[in-house]
Amino acid sequence: VTSWGGNIIKGDDGLYHLWVSRMRDGEGLNSWTHDSQIDHAVAEDPMDVFDFAEVALSAEAHNASPLRARNGSYLIFHIGSGFLHHSETPNGPWLPLPGINCNNPAPMIHSNGSFFCGCNNGDFQIYR
């Protein structure tokens, strides 16, 4: 299995939820542009083994950056189709949010709760 990255959020259920990019067909990291999907896995302890839960976002989705919104919903910023998805639970369903075209998103949360997203679309831009 070839995977990339991985980010964790502790859920209201007390479990640690991991979203990680995985190349579906085992072709290696060079296949990420067409073969990467985002898998969801859970563990009771972040230093323990994570168990696969489900495919959160199918290909093409890569480089997951999950965050919690102020209303408690979950957001996944990512490279690929849609670039931003949301769900009321860490288990989905994940629904696309309309937005800008963003390559390699770098989400940020301001202390006032506002979301910003840095995008590398040839030049680095920040959107709010």
Side-chain angles (χ1 to χ4, degrees):
V1 172
T2 302
S3 62
W4 177 265
N7 291 290
I8 299 168
I9 293 177
K10 186 174 184 180
D12 297 335
D13 56 5
L15 297 175
Y16 292 87
H17 296 267
L18 166 72
W19 291 272
V20 61
S21 301
R22 180 174 59 92
M23 295 352 103
R24 294 178 302 173
D25 296 326
E27 295 179 20
L29 190 54
N30 288 337
S31 68
W32 76 268
T33 58
H34 63 278
D35 202 31
S36 183
Q37 66 186 31
I38 296 173
D39 285 354
H40 172 225
V42 296
E44 292 182 7
D45 182 318
M47 300 305 289
D48 204 351
V49 174
F50 279 78
D51 294 316
F52 175 80
E54 71 268 333
V55 174
L57 297 170
S58 59
E60 169 206 358
H62 187 73
N63 209 24
S65 294
L67 293 173
R68 293 286 302 265
R70 283 194 303 188
N71 67 3
S73 65
Y74 292 79
L75 303 168
I76 296 180
F77 293 81
H78 60 90
I79 297 171
S81 303
F83 125 80
L84 176 58
H85 286 75
H86 76 99
S87 176
E88 295 303 312
T89 75
N91 304 311
W94 293 94
L95 304 171
L97 286 173
I100 55 168
N101 180 18
C102 182
N103 182 40
N104 209 9
M108 302 160 263
I109 303 175
H110 189 276
S111 60
N112 69 10
S114 297
F115 279 91
F116 295 86
C117 188
C119 298
N120 183 5
N121 292 331
D123 59 339
F124 192 76
Q125 299 170 336
I126 295 181
Y127 298 92
R128 185 176 109 180

